[in-house]
């Protein structure tokens, strides 16, 4: 049993009272302090303008198919823990069929002109934009994030399809000046082949488009394995890809739950697949890389982060608070690039902590379909357990809870601000992946750079300062693949996305992203 502030609804307001509730009960939506509330809406089934976008079958060789065993798995709405639908629980045999279909399709797709691939991808982009509201609804239902945020993801994800459609026509080679009079040196770029793509649940649309857009533009074909928590976004995208004119076998989706390890092993060891692209945890990324080494596949790995967010004493504090909120609490803290350790210089620590706490007190947590909701549920009870463990550990070692700090039923956890943190706490060492902002004090620039870099991760880093010299020094000193200076948002289809150290290999997005799906071929033309 969990003691929470219980809310009754009156005149569009929640009246709070203490009560006891079983936090494991489905549908229990207790309220927070400071009149933060959960929605009372109950959303059971999707209401789509185009119901055919919701598919409960996998997509192989242009057809909607069941698993060979007939088995399915249930997908739950994280806000209500009610069933959304069922997806096929595919296994090794199903995966082999998808790989074979992609291999057959590669023969013709790779031979098409770049302009042809551009046109098909542009058709797909247009259909995504046309159906963005339905795609956002599907995303919210299976992921939990507010519809407004889901809609932002759909638009962001669509940008990658548009960007790589245009990059398809810009995969230039080179003519190298030859040192030999009767020879010519030429460099071409050619598609690597069939690509296995494994995507996470936190961005079930954009993580697909960022990978698939580049792969298809390069002339590759793909087999996509979406997270079992969020398969329906991938399947909706398959429906639109089919309508856009992608030939059968070019884009395949294999859903799996119980047999996900079997499916992953087949993708990483099957010699037909020439590349693996994965976004997820560092531990799983290492395992996939090891498995892929058996056939020396190319790999792109976008793995875990532990992003520092630094606020210097010369920063615009209000802007830094807004940046911290954007970075830390977007998707309820469930992003790989979100601020995980917030370092604030001692002289402005109290001011920053006070302003951040005040902003967080205005959050509204609840079902993503309620227009008043600012932050949705976490994806699962496992995520709740990690947040609880991190807060309990920090408090036991001297941290102060400024706001929040409790699991309040179901998959909901209070947006939390902690102060008085130090490096020995779990929150400093592990990626929380939840709505917990932990604030650390520092005194000097040298000290904070040392703390920021004292991690095996190196995905993203942020800092706020108005000293131009400091901006250059800190940006170059941070051991990360991406730096945000005076901004909490760094992702864009035009810019390279990826990390260093144990945060991954390769880059996605930008002009660099398509090169991950191309082989470089050198041609020596003699006898001239």
């Amino acid at each position: 049993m969990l003691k929470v502030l219980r809310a009754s609804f009156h005149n569009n307001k929640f009246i709070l009272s203490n009560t006891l509730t079983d936090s494991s009960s489905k549908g229990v939506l207790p309220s927070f302090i400071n009149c933060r509330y959960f929605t009372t809406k109950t959303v059971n089934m999707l209401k789509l303008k185009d119901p055919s976008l919701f598919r409960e079958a996998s997509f192989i060789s242009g057809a909607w198919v069941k698993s060979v065993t007939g088995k399915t798995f249930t997908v739950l709405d994280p806000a209500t823990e009610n069933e959304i639908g069922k997806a096929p629980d595919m296994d090794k045999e199903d995966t082999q069929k998808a790989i074979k279909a992609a291999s057959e399709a590669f023969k013709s797709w790779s031979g098409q002109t770049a302009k042809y691939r551009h046109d098909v991808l542009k058709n797909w982009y247009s259909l995504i934009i046309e159906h963005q509201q339905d795609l956002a609804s599907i995303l919210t239902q299976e992921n939990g994030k507010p519809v407004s945020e889901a809609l932002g993801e759909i638009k962001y994800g669509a940008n990658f399809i548009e960007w790589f459609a245009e990059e398809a026509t810009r995969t230039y080679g080179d003519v190298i000046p030859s040192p030999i009079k009767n020879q010519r040196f030429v460099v071409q770029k050619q598609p690597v082949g069939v690509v296995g793509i494994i995507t996470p649940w936190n961005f079930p649309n954009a993580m697909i488009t960022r990978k698939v857009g580049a792969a298809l533009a390069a002339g590759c074909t793909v087999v996509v394995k979406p997270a079992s928590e969020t398969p329906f976004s991938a399947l909706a995208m398959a429906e639109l890809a089919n309508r856009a004119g992608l030939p059968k076998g070019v884009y395949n989706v294999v859903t799996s739950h119980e047999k996900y390890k079997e499916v992953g092993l087949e993708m990483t060891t099957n010699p037909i697949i020439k590349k693996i692209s994965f976004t997820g945890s560092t531990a799983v990324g290492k395992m996939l890389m090891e498995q892929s080494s058996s056939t020396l596949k190319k790999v792109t790995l976008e793995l875990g982060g532990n992003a520092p967010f630094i606020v210097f004493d010369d920063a615009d504090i209000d802007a830094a608070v807004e940046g911290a909120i954007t970075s830390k609490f977007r998707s309820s803290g469930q992003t790989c690039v979100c601020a995980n350790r917030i370092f604030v210089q001692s002289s402005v620590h109290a001011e920053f902590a006070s302003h951040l706490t005040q902003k967080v007190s205005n959050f509204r947590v609840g079902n993503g379909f309620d227009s008043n909701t600012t932050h949705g549920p976490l994806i699962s009870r496992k995520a709740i357990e990690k947040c609880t463990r991190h807060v309990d550990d920090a408090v036991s070692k001297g941290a102060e809870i400024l706001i929040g700090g409790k699991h309040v039923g179901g998959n909901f956890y209070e947006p939390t601000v902690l102060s008085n943190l130090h490096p020995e706490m779990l929150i400093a060492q592990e990626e929380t992946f939840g709505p917990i902002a932990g604030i650390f004090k520092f005194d000097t620039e040298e000290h904070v750079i040392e703390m920021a870099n004292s991690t095996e991760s190196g995905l993203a880093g942020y800092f706020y300062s108005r000293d131009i010299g400091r901006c250059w020094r800190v940006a170059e000193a941070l051991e990360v693949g991406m730096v945000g200076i005076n901004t909490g948002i760094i992702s864009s289809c035009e810019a390279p996305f990826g990390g260093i150290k144990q945060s991954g290999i390769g880059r996605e997005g930008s002009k660099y992203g398509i090169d991950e799906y191309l082989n470089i071929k050198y041609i020596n033309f003699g006898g001239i």
Side-chain angles (χ1 to χ4, degrees):
M1 303 296 283
L2 176 71
K3 186 175 182 180
V4 299
L5 291 172
R6 193 75 175 113
S8 58
F9 192 68
H10 180 68
N11 291 333
N12 294 321
K13 300 291 184 183
F14 276 84
I15 310 301
L16 304 180
S17 60
N18 286 323
T19 188
L20 290 175
T21 183
D22 182 350
S23 63
S24 66
S25 299
K26 294 184 178 181
V28 174
L29 299 176
S31 178
F32 291 162
I33 58 174
N34 297 328
C35 293
R36 288 176 291 167
Y37 62 90
F38 284 91
T39 175
T40 56
K41 286 185 178 179
T42 299
V43 182
N44 294 318
M45 295 299 293
L46 284 166
K47 294 182 179 179
L48 304 177
K49 293 179 181 178
D50 185 350
S52 65
L53 290 178
F54 185 77
R55 294 284 187 169
E56 295 182 274
S58 286
F59 190 71
I60 298 176
S61 193
W64 296 102
V65 298
K66 300 179 180 179
S67 67
V68 292
T69 62
K71 292 183 178 179
T72 62
F73 63 93
T74 300
V75 181
L76 302 179
D77 178 345
T80 63
E81 298 187 287
N82 292 329
E83 180 178 331
I84 302 170
K86 297 183 185 297
D89 203 351
M90 309 297 257
D91 61 12
K92 177 179 178 179
E93 184 178 346
D94 295 301
T95 307
Q96 288 173 338
K97 290 181 179 179
I99 293 171
K100 182 179 178 180
S103 180
E104 287 297 315
F106 177 74
K107 298 173 184 176
S108 57
W109 181 250
S110 60
Q112 294 288 355
T113 65
K115 179 63 167 59
Y116 176 85
R117 294 196 295 270
H118 163 277
D119 292 347
V120 175
L121 287 172
K122 287 287 282 188
N123 289 343
W124 195 16
Y125 165 79
S126 297
L127 287 169
I128 294 169
I129 296 301
E130 180 184 343
H131 294 88
Q132 59 184 294
Q133 197 64 55
D134 279 351
L135 294 173
S137 294
I138 293 171
L139 199 161
T140 292
Q141 189 84 76
E142 63 182 357
N143 170 277
K145 65 180 64 177
V147 169
S148 59
E149 196 170 320
L151 193 58
E153 180 181 335
I154 300 303
K155 293 176 181 177
Y156 167 70
N159 288 342
F160 285 99
I161 300 298
E162 182 183 41
W163 171 265
F164 284 117
E166 294 163 352
E167 283 297 291
T169 61
R170 294 194 285 264
T171 53
Y172 306 131
D174 291 295
V175 175
I176 300 172
S178 172
I180 303 171
K181 188 174 182 179
N182 66 342
Q183 293 183 355
R184 301 294 182 267
F185 294 177
V186 178
V187 174
Q188 288 184 343
K189 294 182 179 180
Q190 296 179 320
V192 299
V194 179
V195 179
I197 291 175
I198 304 173
T199 59
W201 50 261
N202 59 336
F203 288 91
N205 179 280
M207 294 303 96
I208 290 175
T209 59
R210 196 161 74 186
K211 299 173 186 295
V212 171
L216 299 190
C220 300
T221 55
V222 300
V223 177
V224 178
K225 195 285 178 192
S228 60
E229 295 90 344
T230 56
F232 298 122
S233 288
L235 296 170
M237 292 294 286
E239 171 62 27
L240 294 181
N242 195 39
R243 296 181 195 179
L246 275 174
K248 67 178 184 178
V250 171
Y251 178 57
N252 306 276
V253 180
V254 174
T255 60
S256 183
H257 178 59
E258 286 190 5
K259 299 288 187 178
Y260 76 94
K261 289 184 178 180
E262 183 178 302
V263 170
L265 183 62
E266 181 62 29
M267 292 175 73
T268 53
T269 58
N270 191 307
I272 295 174
I273 288 186
K274 304 302 182 184
K275 175 182 173 65
I276 291 290
S277 181
F278 168 74
T279 295
S281 72
T282 298
V284 174
K286 289 179 178 179
M287 179 184 69
L288 295 176
M289 186 176 182
E290 182 179 358
Q291 292 171 354
S292 297
S293 69
S294 65
T295 53
L296 288 180
K297 299 186 195 305
K298 294 184 71 171
V299 294
T300 296
L301 303 173
E302 194 264 284
L303 308 176
N306 191 352
F309 186 102
I310 305 168
V311 182
F312 289 100
D313 56 8
D314 65 332
D316 180 330
I317 298 301
D318 289 334
V321 168
E322 290 298 329
I325 287 172
T326 302
S327 175
K328 173 69 256 184
F329 291 103
R330 183 166 57 105
S331 296
S332 295
Q334 299 175 114
T335 81
C336 56
V337 293
C338 75
N340 201 58
R341 297 166 296 153
I342 301 177
F343 300 103
V344 182
Q345 203 152 15
S346 297
S347 60
V348 294
H349 175 273
E351 180 184 2
F352 178 89
S354 174
H355 288 198
L356 179 62
T357 301
Q358 180 57 45
K359 290 285 186 179
V360 172
S361 72
N362 294 321
F363 288 172
R364 301 291 185 267
V365 179
N367 193 306
F369 285 103
D370 191 304
S371 59
N372 292 313
T373 292
T374 61
H375 295 77
L378 300 189
I379 193 66
S380 67
R381 297 300 175 91
K382 186 177 181 180
I384 293 289
E385 291 169 4
K386 189 172 189 181
C387 287
T388 301
R389 179 164 55 87
H390 277 197
V391 170
D392 288 349
D393 172 78
V395 171
S396 72
K397 295 174 181 175
E400 178 186 359
I401 299 176
L402 301 184
I403 193 169
K406 295 185 181 68
H407 171 213
V408 288
N411 292 321
F412 294 92
Y413 196 93
E414 290 182 315
T416 299
V417 179
L418 302 177
S419 186
N420 195 33
L421 270 63
H422 55 77
E424 288 71 34
M425 296 173 179
L426 288 177
I427 197 171
Q429 302 166 14
E430 299 177 354
E431 185 178 28
T432 302
F433 235 63
I436 302 169
I439 305 176
F440 301 72
K441 283 185 183 180
F442 74 91
D443 293 316
T444 67
E445 180 181 315
E446 294 75 18
H447 182 217
V448 77
I449 289 174
E450 181 183 353
M451 289 194 296
N453 290 339
S454 63
T455 173
E456 294 178 341
S457 301
L459 189 56
Y462 310 83
F463 67 91
Y464 276 71
S465 173
R466 288 177 287 191
D467 181 326
I468 189 64
R470 170 177 279 164
C471 287
W472 278 113
R473 289 193 305 271
V474 175
E476 292 178 351
L478 288 175
E479 296 174 353
V480 295
M482 301 172 285
V483 178
I485 305 174
N486 296 321
T487 180
I489 292 289
I490 55 176
S491 302
S492 171
C493 67
E494 295 86 357
F497 191 102
I500 61 173
K501 297 163 74 172
Q502 293 194 33
S503 284
I505 298 171
R507 293 296 180 267
E508 296 183 319
S510 79
K511 68 177 184 178
Y512 304 102
I514 198 168
D515 285 341
E516 300 284 339
Y517 298 88
L518 293 166
N519 287 326
I520 293 176
K521 176 180 284 186
Y522 157 56
I523 300 172
N524 185 323
F525 198 146
I528 295 173

